[in-house]
Each structure stands twice: as C-alpha cells, then as structure tokens.
Amino acid sequence: MQVRVIQIVIFLVSVWALSYPFLYETTSSLTSAQRVQPKKPRAPKIVEKPLHNVQLPDFGSITDVKEKKQRFFDFIKPHVIAENTKINQQRASLEIALMMLQMGEALTEAQTKKLKNIFTYYRLDDELFSVASVQKALKHVDIIPRELALMQAANESAWGTSRFARIGLNFFGQWCYKKGCGMVPRHRDNEAAHEVAAFQSVRAAVQSYFRNINTHDAYRQLREKRAELRASKLPIEATLLTQGLIAYSERGDAYVEELNDMIRHNKDYFDEK
C-alpha cells in the first residue's frame, strides 16, 4: 500500500513538471501583454467656446432635411437682403452723381462726401470724381443674388454646422492673415500663416463676404459678367455668375458645378419672404 501511494505521488509530480513550462509561458505572456498595452485613460473632451455672443440655432440637431434648410435660410436670408438693400442705395447715389457729371453739373458737398465713403469702402482709387471713375465704381457697387449668397453660405458652413460657423460665425469660409484674427485650421500646413476669420455678428460676416466678392481681383470675372447683364437690362441670375467664383475654392470647376446644382435643387426656398 505504501509503495502504491509513493507511485501516485511520483506520477503527480511528473505531470506537474511536464506541464509547468506551458503554464509559465502562458501566464508570462499575458502579464507581458498587459505591461506593453496598458489601458490609457481617456483624455477629457475639449469644448471650444464661441468667439461671439450670438445665440445660434442648433442646426446639427435638426434631423429633418427640409426643416434644417428652411431654418438655415430663414436665419441667413434677412442679412443678405439687408446688405443688398444697402448696396442698391449706394448704387442710387452713384447713378445720380453719374447723371449730373454727364450733364456737366457740379456735385454737392454732401454728394462728394457720400461718394468718398463709397469709394473708400470698396477700395477704389481716391481720385477726382468723373464719369469714368463713377462708371468704374458701379461695377463694384452691385448686388449679389440672394440665391448665390445663400448657397455659398450653406456650402461653406455645411448648413451652419461647421466649426468655423459655430465658433466664429464664419459662414463663407473667409480667411484672414493677421495672427489672432480668427481660428487656426486644425489641418493647416506648417508653413501656412492664414487663419479663418471670426466675426462678432452674422451681419458682419455677410458684409465681409459681399465686400470680398465686390473688391477682390480674383472675382473680377463675376463683376464683369454682372455689368454685362446690367448693360443688357437682363436679370442678374445666380447661375450666370458662378463661373466667376472659380477661384473661391481649390476645387475650381467642381465647386462651381456644385453651387449650380445646389441653386437649382433649392430654388423653392428662394422666395421674397
């Protein structure tokens, strides 16, 4: 009996000895893996604070597409209408001045002051007012069709949901070049110095967009086409001007085509309300 017990003990010890390397290797591997890939604590999510005090609609939370579009247009449209109204008033002042100059009449002091302000705002040469200079000014001082302005705002801001729209009220993707003038793009090239402009009001953002289109040399083609339509007494249609925005995006012709498609597909929203 004693011999039998000793044999059993020897057998158990042998089995343990044979399996020990495998048990050790498995335990060691698990321990090593745990050491190499420890669970990292989640970094706290940084919430970027708006650079303005405007209460924006939460466009991102609107799931119904038609409702989102209507809310977006209702939000931006009054500012576009107001800017076009202001421009039409400026044009009226220029047209009256042009008529007087063509008839050889002298401008009043009030007219001269008004024209100086208009010329300065549109970055036109500070010169003596003449038929030629006022005619040149009229190419710059003109409306942007609401369809075009609204669709660019929708395109550039992803219907009001982009970071630049939410944080800086920049609905048109406008850049600025002075350090601290806006927001630094997250994927900006190391050698780049531009920022995305930030505004304190939606009206200021819309005004800046209009002024950019009406003054920057990159959009000369748009202004020339608009002047041609004026001279021919034809409506200033948005889709006839979009080719003049080819420099607005690095996407070039594809951007222009996309704008035209958006204008056509959203025409039901462009009423006079």
Side-chain angles (χ1 to χ4, degrees), residues 142-175:
D142 208 341
I143 65 164
I144 296 173
R146 74 174 66 181
E147 296 91 336
L148 183 54
L150 291 174
M151 288 330 309
Q152 278 206 275
N155 186 294
E156 295 290 339
S157 72
W159 297 94
T161 64
S162 73
R163 172 196 171 212
F164 301 128
R166 291 181 293 103
I167 304 302
L169 297 178
N170 191 330
F171 292 90
F172 297 93
Q174 299 174 88
W175 289 6

PDB file of all heavy atoms in Angstrom, residues 142-175:
ATOM      1  N   ASP A 142     -22.581  96.645 -56.515  1.00  0.00           N
ATOM      2  CA  ASP A 142     -23.743  95.975 -57.096  1.00  0.00           C
ATOM      3  C   ASP A 142     -24.116  94.770 -56.238  1.00  0.00           C
ATOM      4  O   ASP A 142     -23.294  94.256 -55.461  1.00  0.00           O
ATOM      5  CB  ASP A 142     -23.458  95.539 -58.532  1.00  0.00           C
ATOM      6  CG  ASP A 142     -24.728  95.473 -59.376  1.00  0.00           C
ATOM      7  OD1 ASP A 142     -25.826  95.406 -58.783  1.00  0.00           O
ATOM      8  OD2 ASP A 142     -24.618  95.472 -60.621  1.00  0.00           O
ATOM      9  N   ILE A 143     -25.338  94.314 -56.405  1.00  0.00           N
ATOM     10  CA  ILE A 143     -25.865  93.240 -55.561  1.00  0.00           C
ATOM     11  C   ILE A 143     -25.236  91.895 -55.891  1.00  0.00           C
ATOM     12  O   ILE A 143     -24.651  91.698 -56.961  1.00  0.00           O
ATOM     13  CB  ILE A 143     -27.393  93.131 -55.713  1.00  0.00           C
ATOM     14  CG1 ILE A 143     -27.756  92.707 -57.137  1.00  0.00           C
ATOM     15  CG2 ILE A 143     -28.067  94.431 -55.331  1.00  0.00           C
ATOM     16  CD1 ILE A 143     -29.180  92.216 -57.287  1.00  0.00           C
ATOM     17  N   ILE A 144     -25.375  90.974 -54.953  1.00  0.00           N
ATOM     18  CA  ILE A 144     -25.083  89.564 -55.174  1.00  0.00           C
ATOM     19  C   ILE A 144     -26.417  88.842 -55.036  1.00  0.00           C
ATOM     20  O   ILE A 144     -27.098  89.010 -54.013  1.00  0.00           O
ATOM     21  CB  ILE A 144     -24.063  89.029 -54.156  1.00  0.00           C
ATOM     22  CG1 ILE A 144     -22.729  89.751 -54.336  1.00  0.00           C
ATOM     23  CG2 ILE A 144     -23.882  87.518 -54.305  1.00  0.00           C
ATOM     24  CD1 ILE A 144     -21.703  89.416 -53.279  1.00  0.00           C
ATOM     25  N   PRO A 145     -26.851  88.106 -56.062  1.00  0.00           N
ATOM     26  CA  PRO A 145     -28.146  87.432 -55.973  1.00  0.00           C
ATOM     27  C   PRO A 145     -28.266  86.632 -54.686  1.00  0.00           C
ATOM     28  O   PRO A 145     -27.318  85.951 -54.284  1.00  0.00           O
ATOM     29  CB  PRO A 145     -28.142  86.518 -57.201  1.00  0.00           C
ATOM     30  CG  PRO A 145     -27.200  87.160 -58.158  1.00  0.00           C
ATOM     31  CD  PRO A 145     -26.142  87.794 -57.309  1.00  0.00           C
ATOM     32  N   ARG A 146     -29.407  86.732 -54.044  1.00  0.00           N
ATOM     33  CA  ARG A 146     -29.577  86.043 -52.757  1.00  0.00           C
ATOM     34  C   ARG A 146     -29.367  84.542 -52.885  1.00  0.00           C
ATOM     35  O   ARG A 146     -28.840  83.894 -51.985  1.00  0.00           O
ATOM     36  CB  ARG A 146     -30.941  86.356 -52.160  1.00  0.00           C
ATOM     37  CG  ARG A 146     -32.112  85.666 -52.820  1.00  0.00           C
ATOM     38  CD  ARG A 146     -33.394  85.921 -52.057  1.00  0.00           C
ATOM     39  NE  ARG A 146     -33.757  87.327 -52.114  1.00  0.00           N
ATOM     40  CZ  ARG A 146     -34.814  87.838 -51.519  1.00  0.00           C
ATOM     41  NH1 ARG A 146     -35.613  87.071 -50.811  1.00  0.00           N
ATOM     42  NH2 ARG A 146     -35.099  89.111 -51.609  1.00  0.00           N
ATOM     43  N   GLU A 147     -29.772  83.968 -54.048  1.00  0.00           N
ATOM     44  CA  GLU A 147     -29.575  82.533 -54.250  1.00  0.00           C
ATOM     45  C   GLU A 147     -28.099  82.168 -54.148  1.00  0.00           C
ATOM     46  O   GLU A 147     -27.738  81.153 -53.552  1.00  0.00           O
ATOM     47  CB  GLU A 147     -30.101  82.105 -55.633  1.00  0.00           C
ATOM     48  CG  GLU A 147     -31.596  82.292 -55.819  1.00  0.00           C
ATOM     49  CD  GLU A 147     -31.954  83.640 -56.398  1.00  0.00           C
ATOM     50  OE1 GLU A 147     -31.153  84.577 -56.242  1.00  0.00           O
ATOM     51  OE2 GLU A 147     -33.042  83.751 -56.989  1.00  0.00           O
ATOM     52  N   LEU A 148     -27.267  83.007 -54.741  1.00  0.00           N
ATOM     53  CA  LEU A 148     -25.835  82.737 -54.743  1.00  0.00           C
ATOM     54  C   LEU A 148     -25.252  82.880 -53.341  1.00  0.00           C
ATOM     55  O   LEU A 148     -24.495  82.018 -52.872  1.00  0.00           O
ATOM     56  CB  LEU A 148     -25.131  83.686 -55.711  1.00  0.00           C
ATOM     57  CG  LEU A 148     -23.621  83.487 -55.879  1.00  0.00           C
ATOM     58  CD1 LEU A 148     -23.302  82.056 -56.250  1.00  0.00           C
ATOM     59  CD2 LEU A 148     -23.065  84.454 -56.916  1.00  0.00           C
ATOM     60  N   ALA A 149     -25.604  83.969 -52.666  1.00  0.00           N
ATOM     61  CA  ALA A 149     -25.086  84.193 -51.313  1.00  0.00           C
ATOM     62  C   ALA A 149     -25.536  83.088 -50.360  1.00  0.00           C
ATOM     63  O   ALA A 149     -24.744  82.562 -49.562  1.00  0.00           O
ATOM     64  CB  ALA A 149     -25.538  85.554 -50.800  1.00  0.00           C
ATOM     65  N   LEU A 150     -26.805  82.710 -50.431  1.00  0.00           N
ATOM     66  CA  LEU A 150     -27.335  81.681 -49.535  1.00  0.00           C
ATOM     67  C   LEU A 150     -26.707  80.324 -49.808  1.00  0.00           C
ATOM     68  O   LEU A 150     -26.386  79.577 -48.877  1.00  0.00           O
ATOM     69  CB  LEU A 150     -28.854  81.594 -49.672  1.00  0.00           C
ATOM     70  CG  LEU A 150     -29.646  82.788 -49.140  1.00  0.00           C
ATOM     71  CD1 LEU A 150     -31.126  82.638 -49.476  1.00  0.00           C
ATOM     72  CD2 LEU A 150     -29.462  82.939 -47.642  1.00  0.00           C
ATOM     73  N   MET A 151     -26.501  79.985 -51.082  1.00  0.00           N
ATOM     74  CA  MET A 151     -25.937  78.673 -51.381  1.00  0.00           C
ATOM     75  C   MET A 151     -24.452  78.616 -51.033  1.00  0.00           C
ATOM     76  O   MET A 151     -23.956  77.570 -50.616  1.00  0.00           O
ATOM     77  CB  MET A 151     -26.141  78.320 -52.849  1.00  0.00           C
ATOM     78  CG  MET A 151     -27.568  77.980 -53.253  1.00  0.00           C
ATOM     79  SD  MET A 151     -28.643  77.220 -51.993  1.00  0.00           S
ATOM     80  CE  MET A 151     -27.704  75.870 -51.372  1.00  0.00           C
ATOM     81  N   GLN A 152     -23.752  79.707 -51.180  1.00  0.00           N
ATOM     82  CA  GLN A 152     -22.356  79.701 -50.745  1.00  0.00           C
ATOM     83  C   GLN A 152     -22.272  79.555 -49.229  1.00  0.00           C
ATOM     84  O   GLN A 152     -21.408  78.838 -48.706  1.00  0.00           O
ATOM     85  CB  GLN A 152     -21.640  80.979 -51.203  1.00  0.00           C
ATOM     86  CG  GLN A 152     -21.163  80.889 -52.642  1.00  0.00           C
ATOM     87  CD  GLN A 152     -19.973  81.803 -52.890  1.00  0.00           C
ATOM     88  OE1 GLN A 152     -20.156  82.984 -53.173  1.00  0.00           O
ATOM     89  NE2 GLN A 152     -18.778  81.263 -52.788  1.00  0.00           N
ATOM     90  N   ALA A 153     -23.173  80.221 -48.526  1.00  0.00           N
ATOM     91  CA  ALA A 153     -23.193  80.094 -47.065  1.00  0.00           C
ATOM     92  C   ALA A 153     -23.483  78.659 -46.658  1.00  0.00           C
ATOM     93  O   ALA A 153     -22.827  78.106 -45.762  1.00  0.00           O
ATOM     94  CB  ALA A 153     -24.240  81.032 -46.471  1.00  0.00           C
ATOM     95  N   ALA A 154     -24.457  78.029 -47.312  1.00  0.00           N
ATOM     96  CA  ALA A 154     -24.801  76.643 -46.993  1.00  0.00           C
ATOM     97  C   ALA A 154     -23.648  75.706 -47.312  1.00  0.00           C
ATOM     98  O   ALA A 154     -23.313  74.805 -46.528  1.00  0.00           O
ATOM     99  CB  ALA A 154     -26.050  76.226 -47.772  1.00  0.00           C
ATOM    100  N   ASN A 155     -23.015  75.924 -48.458  1.00  0.00           N
ATOM    101  CA  ASN A 155     -21.921  75.062 -48.884  1.00  0.00           C
ATOM    102  C   ASN A 155     -20.715  75.197 -47.970  1.00  0.00           C
ATOM    103  O   ASN A 155     -20.138  74.199 -47.525  1.00  0.00           O
ATOM    104  CB  ASN A 155     -21.546  75.402 -50.330  1.00  0.00           C
ATOM    105  CG  ASN A 155     -20.516  74.462 -50.920  1.00  0.00           C
ATOM    106  OD1 ASN A 155     -19.369  74.421 -50.487  1.00  0.00           O
ATOM    107  ND2 ASN A 155     -20.928  73.700 -51.919  1.00  0.00           N
ATOM    108  N   GLU A 156     -20.312  76.427 -47.705  1.00  0.00           N
ATOM    109  CA  GLU A 156     -19.081  76.663 -46.942  1.00  0.00           C
ATOM    110  C   GLU A 156     -19.235  76.330 -45.457  1.00  0.00           C
ATOM    111  O   GLU A 156     -18.249  76.035 -44.788  1.00  0.00           O
ATOM    112  CB  GLU A 156     -18.661  78.135 -47.098  1.00  0.00           C
ATOM    113  CG  GLU A 156     -18.270  78.532 -48.504  1.00  0.00           C
ATOM    114  CD  GLU A 156     -16.955  77.927 -48.954  1.00  0.00           C
ATOM    115  OE1 GLU A 156     -16.146  77.526 -48.096  1.00  0.00           O
ATOM    116  OE2 GLU A 156     -16.749  77.817 -50.179  1.00  0.00           O
ATOM    117  N   SER A 157     -20.463  76.395 -44.935  1.00  0.00           N
ATOM    118  CA  SER A 157     -20.664  76.165 -43.496  1.00  0.00           C
ATOM    119  C   SER A 157     -21.309  74.819 -43.190  1.00  0.00           C
ATOM    120  O   SER A 157     -21.644  74.554 -42.030  1.00  0.00           O
ATOM    121  CB  SER A 157     -21.545  77.275 -42.909  1.00  0.00           C
ATOM    122  OG  SER A 157     -22.891  77.130 -43.336  1.00  0.00           O
ATOM    123  N   ALA A 158     -21.493  73.970 -44.226  1.00  0.00           N
ATOM    124  CA  ALA A 158     -22.191  72.691 -44.042  1.00  0.00           C
ATOM    125  C   ALA A 158     -23.544  72.914 -43.370  1.00  0.00           C
ATOM    126  O   ALA A 158     -23.872  72.311 -42.361  1.00  0.00           O
ATOM    127  CB  ALA A 158     -21.339  71.714 -43.243  1.00  0.00           C
ATOM    128  N   TRP A 159     -24.290  73.853 -43.934  1.00  0.00           N
ATOM    129  CA  TRP A 159     -25.620  74.210 -43.422  1.00  0.00           C
ATOM    130  C   TRP A 159     -25.556  74.664 -41.957  1.00  0.00           C
ATOM    131  O   TRP A 159     -26.380  74.305 -41.136  1.00  0.00           O
ATOM    132  CB  TRP A 159     -26.598  73.059 -43.586  1.00  0.00           C
ATOM    133  CG  TRP A 159     -26.840  72.706 -45.018  1.00  0.00           C
ATOM    134  CD1 TRP A 159     -26.194  71.737 -45.753  1.00  0.00           C
ATOM    135  CD2 TRP A 159     -27.759  73.330 -45.926  1.00  0.00           C
ATOM    136  NE1 TRP A 159     -26.654  71.732 -47.043  1.00  0.00           N
ATOM    137  CE2 TRP A 159     -27.624  72.688 -47.183  1.00  0.00           C
ATOM    138  CE3 TRP A 159     -28.695  74.358 -45.787  1.00  0.00           C
ATOM    139  CZ2 TRP A 159     -28.372  73.047 -48.298  1.00  0.00           C
ATOM    140  CZ3 TRP A 159     -29.450  74.717 -46.899  1.00  0.00           C
ATOM    141  CH2 TRP A 159     -29.293  74.064 -48.138  1.00  0.00           C
ATOM    142  N   GLY A 160     -24.548  75.464 -41.651  1.00  0.00           N
ATOM    143  CA  GLY A 160     -24.435  76.074 -40.330  1.00  0.00           C
ATOM    144  C   GLY A 160     -23.865  75.184 -39.250  1.00  0.00           C
ATOM    145  O   GLY A 160     -23.843  75.569 -38.082  1.00  0.00           O
ATOM    146  N   THR A 161     -23.335  73.999 -39.617  1.00  0.00           N
ATOM    147  CA  THR A 161     -22.842  73.062 -38.601  1.00  0.00           C
ATOM    148  C   THR A 161     -21.320  73.044 -38.470  1.00  0.00           C
ATOM    149  O   THR A 161     -20.799  72.416 -37.560  1.00  0.00           O
ATOM    150  CB  THR A 161     -23.305  71.624 -38.920  1.00  0.00           C
ATOM    151  OG1 THR A 161     -22.724  71.189 -40.167  1.00  0.00           O
ATOM    152  CG2 THR A 161     -24.827  71.552 -39.018  1.00  0.00           C
ATOM    153  N   SER A 162     -20.603  73.713 -39.350  1.00  0.00           N
ATOM    154  CA  SER A 162     -19.143  73.655 -39.306  1.00  0.00           C
ATOM    155  C   SER A 162     -18.593  74.343 -38.057  1.00  0.00           C
ATOM    156  O   SER A 162     -19.245  75.205 -37.459  1.00  0.00           O
ATOM    157  CB  SER A 162     -18.540  74.314 -40.554  1.00  0.00           C
ATOM    158  OG  SER A 162     -18.684  75.725 -40.488  1.00  0.00           O
ATOM    159  N   ARG A 163     -17.396  73.971 -37.706  1.00  0.00           N
ATOM    160  CA  ARG A 163     -16.721  74.583 -36.553  1.00  0.00           C
ATOM    161  C   ARG A 163     -16.575  76.086 -36.748  1.00  0.00           C
ATOM    162  O   ARG A 163     -16.824  76.871 -35.820  1.00  0.00           O
ATOM    163  CB  ARG A 163     -15.336  73.951 -36.400  1.00  0.00           C
ATOM    164  CG  ARG A 163     -14.450  74.623 -35.364  1.00  0.00           C
ATOM    165  CD  ARG A 163     -13.003  74.211 -35.533  1.00  0.00           C
ATOM    166  NE  ARG A 163     -12.124  75.001 -34.692  1.00  0.00           N
ATOM    167  CZ  ARG A 163     -10.865  75.333 -35.003  1.00  0.00           C
ATOM    168  NH1 ARG A 163     -10.336  74.922 -36.138  1.00  0.00           N
ATOM    169  NH2 ARG A 163     -10.147  76.074 -34.185  1.00  0.00           N
ATOM    170  N   PHE A 164     -16.222  76.514 -37.954  1.00  0.00           N
ATOM    171  CA  PHE A 164     -15.989  77.929 -38.203  1.00  0.00           C
ATOM    172  C   PHE A 164     -17.284  78.739 -38.118  1.00  0.00           C
ATOM    173  O   PHE A 164     -17.264  79.897 -37.696  1.00  0.00           O
ATOM    174  CB  PHE A 164     -15.334  78.118 -39.573  1.00  0.00           C
ATOM    175  CG  PHE A 164     -14.021  77.395 -39.693  1.00  0.00           C
ATOM    176  CD1 PHE A 164     -13.776  76.535 -40.751  1.00  0.00           C
ATOM    177  CD2 PHE A 164     -13.042  77.551 -38.734  1.00  0.00           C
ATOM    178  CE1 PHE A 164     -12.576  75.875 -40.861  1.00  0.00           C
ATOM    179  CE2 PHE A 164     -11.827  76.886 -38.825  1.00  0.00           C
ATOM    180  CZ  PHE A 164     -11.593  76.040 -39.901  1.00  0.00           C
ATOM    181  N   ALA A 165     -18.409  78.133 -38.506  1.00  0.00           N
ATOM    182  CA  ALA A 165     -19.690  78.825 -38.391  1.00  0.00           C
ATOM    183  C   ALA A 165     -20.123  78.909 -36.939  1.00  0.00           C
ATOM    184  O   ALA A 165     -20.572  79.953 -36.470  1.00  0.00           O
ATOM    185  CB  ALA A 165     -20.756  78.105 -39.225  1.00  0.00           C
ATOM    186  N   ARG A 166     -19.991  77.805 -36.214  1.00  0.00           N
ATOM    187  CA  ARG A 166     -20.458  77.765 -34.821  1.00  0.00           C
ATOM    188  C   ARG A 166     -19.592  78.611 -33.903  1.00  0.00           C
ATOM    189  O   ARG A 166     -20.094  79.346 -33.050  1.00  0.00           O
ATOM    190  CB  ARG A 166     -20.470  76.314 -34.317  1.00  0.00           C
ATOM    191  CG  ARG A 166     -21.530  75.437 -34.985  1.00  0.00           C
ATOM    192  CD  ARG A 166     -21.521  74.023 -34.422  1.00  0.00           C
ATOM    193  NE  ARG A 166     -20.292  73.318 -34.756  1.00  0.00           N
ATOM    194  CZ  ARG A 166     -19.287  73.107 -33.930  1.00  0.00           C
ATOM    195  NH1 ARG A 166     -19.336  73.567 -32.678  1.00  0.00           N
ATOM    196  NH2 ARG A 166     -18.208  72.439 -34.319  1.00  0.00           N
ATOM    197  N   ILE A 167     -18.283  78.534 -34.085  1.00  0.00           N
ATOM    198  CA  ILE A 167     -17.364  79.208 -33.163  1.00  0.00           C
ATOM    199  C   ILE A 167     -17.083  80.648 -33.587  1.00  0.00           C
ATOM    200  O   ILE A 167     -16.962  81.538 -32.752  1.00  0.00           O
ATOM    201  CB  ILE A 167     -16.042  78.426 -33.049  1.00  0.00           C
ATOM    202  CG1 ILE A 167     -16.312  76.972 -32.627  1.00  0.00           C
ATOM    203  CG2 ILE A 167     -15.093  79.095 -32.056  1.00  0.00           C
ATOM    204  CD1 ILE A 167     -17.058  76.842 -31.313  1.00  0.00           C
ATOM    205  N   GLY A 168     -16.991  80.901 -34.892  1.00  0.00           N
ATOM    206  CA  GLY A 168     -16.603  82.232 -35.356  1.00  0.00           C
ATOM    207  C   GLY A 168     -17.597  82.930 -36.263  1.00  0.00           C
ATOM    208  O   GLY A 168     -17.260  83.968 -36.845  1.00  0.00           O
ATOM    209  N   LEU A 169     -18.814  82.380 -36.395  1.00  0.00           N
ATOM    210  CA  LEU A 169     -19.840  82.977 -37.253  1.00  0.00           C
ATOM    211  C   LEU A 169     -19.351  83.167 -38.689  1.00  0.00           C
ATOM    212  O   LEU A 169     -19.811  84.060 -39.407  1.00  0.00           O
ATOM    213  CB  LEU A 169     -20.317  84.331 -36.696  1.00  0.00           C
ATOM    214  CG  LEU A 169     -21.005  84.295 -35.328  1.00  0.00           C
ATOM    215  CD1 LEU A 169     -21.378  85.707 -34.905  1.00  0.00           C
ATOM    216  CD2 LEU A 169     -22.232  83.400 -35.336  1.00  0.00           C
ATOM    217  N   ASN A 170     -18.410  82.338 -39.091  1.00  0.00           N
ATOM    218  CA  ASN A 170     -17.885  82.431 -40.447  1.00  0.00           C
ATOM    219  C   ASN A 170     -18.637  81.431 -41.324  1.00  0.00           C
ATOM    220  O   ASN A 170     -18.307  80.245 -41.359  1.00  0.00           O
ATOM    221  CB  ASN A 170     -16.383  82.145 -40.465  1.00  0.00           C
ATOM    222  CG  ASN A 170     -15.745  82.482 -41.795  1.00  0.00           C
ATOM    223  OD1 ASN A 170     -16.380  82.406 -42.845  1.00  0.00           O
ATOM    224  ND2 ASN A 170     -14.476  82.859 -41.764  1.00  0.00           N
ATOM    225  N   PHE A 171     -19.640  81.926 -42.030  1.00  0.00           N
ATOM    226  CA  PHE A 171     -20.484  81.067 -42.859  1.00  0.00           C
ATOM    227  C   PHE A 171     -19.982  80.981 -44.305  1.00  0.00           C
ATOM    228  O   PHE A 171     -20.545  80.237 -45.100  1.00  0.00           O
ATOM    229  CB  PHE A 171     -21.922  81.588 -42.865  1.00  0.00           C
ATOM    230  CG  PHE A 171     -22.606  81.457 -41.536  1.00  0.00           C
ATOM    231  CD1 PHE A 171     -22.536  82.479 -40.591  1.00  0.00           C
ATOM    232  CD2 PHE A 171     -23.307  80.307 -41.206  1.00  0.00           C
ATOM    233  CE1 PHE A 171     -23.164  82.360 -39.359  1.00  0.00           C
ATOM    234  CE2 PHE A 171     -23.933  80.185 -39.982  1.00  0.00           C
ATOM    235  CZ  PHE A 171     -23.862  81.203 -39.050  1.00  0.00           C
ATOM    236  N   PHE A 172     -18.937  81.739 -44.633  1.00  0.00           N
ATOM    237  CA  PHE A 172     -18.486  81.803 -46.025  1.00  0.00           C
ATOM    238  C   PHE A 172     -17.032  81.349 -46.203  1.00  0.00           C
ATOM    239  O   PHE A 172     -16.458  81.543 -47.270  1.00  0.00           O
ATOM    240  CB  PHE A 172     -18.655  83.219 -46.568  1.00  0.00           C
ATOM    241  CG  PHE A 172     -20.091  83.667 -46.618  1.00  0.00           C
ATOM    242  CD1 PHE A 172     -20.654  84.366 -45.557  1.00  0.00           C
ATOM    243  CD2 PHE A 172     -20.890  83.373 -47.705  1.00  0.00           C
ATOM    244  CE1 PHE A 172     -21.983  84.786 -45.597  1.00  0.00           C
ATOM    245  CE2 PHE A 172     -22.220  83.787 -47.756  1.00  0.00           C
ATOM    246  CZ  PHE A 172     -22.766  84.482 -46.697  1.00  0.00           C
ATOM    247  N   GLY A 173     -16.432  80.762 -45.193  1.00  0.00           N
ATOM    248  CA  GLY A 173     -15.072  80.239 -45.324  1.00  0.00           C
ATOM    249  C   GLY A 173     -14.019  81.287 -45.606  1.00  0.00           C
ATOM    250  O   GLY A 173     -13.020  81.014 -46.273  1.00  0.00           O
ATOM    251  N   GLN A 174     -14.223  82.502 -45.113  1.00  0.00           N
ATOM    252  CA  GLN A 174     -13.283  83.584 -45.410  1.00  0.00           C
ATOM    253  C   GLN A 174     -12.019  83.498 -44.559  1.00  0.00           C
ATOM    254  O   GLN A 174     -12.088  83.219 -43.371  1.00  0.00           O
ATOM    255  CB  GLN A 174     -13.976  84.932 -45.174  1.00  0.00           C
ATOM    256  CG  GLN A 174     -15.180  85.130 -46.070  1.00  0.00           C
ATOM    257  CD  GLN A 174     -15.925  86.397 -45.732  1.00  0.00           C
ATOM    258  OE1 GLN A 174     -15.625  87.467 -46.242  1.00  0.00           O
ATOM    259  NE2 GLN A 174     -16.902  86.289 -44.861  1.00  0.00           N
ATOM    260  N   TRP A 175     -10.889  83.761 -45.187  1.00  0.00           N
ATOM    261  CA  TRP A 175      -9.597  83.723 -44.499  1.00  0.00           C
ATOM    262  C   TRP A 175      -9.179  85.130 -44.064  1.00  0.00           C
ATOM    263  O   TRP A 175      -9.650  86.136 -44.595  1.00  0.00           O
ATOM    264  CB  TRP A 175      -8.522  83.172 -45.427  1.00  0.00           C
ATOM    265  CG  TRP A 175      -8.643  81.706 -45.710  1.00  0.00           C
ATOM    266  CD1 TRP A 175      -9.659  80.870 -45.327  1.00  0.00           C
ATOM    267  CD2 TRP A 175      -7.718  80.909 -46.451  1.00  0.00           C
ATOM    268  NE1 TRP A 175      -9.421  79.595 -45.783  1.00  0.00           N
ATOM    269  CE2 TRP A 175      -8.241  79.582 -46.475  1.00  0.00           C
ATOM    270  CE3 TRP A 175      -6.510  81.169 -47.092  1.00  0.00           C
ATOM    271  CZ2 TRP A 175      -7.584  78.534 -47.119  1.00  0.00           C
ATOM    272  CZ3 TRP A 175      -5.850  80.133 -47.737  1.00  0.00           C
ATOM    273  CH2 TRP A 175      -6.377  78.831 -47.750  1.00  0.00           C
TER     274      TRP A 175
END
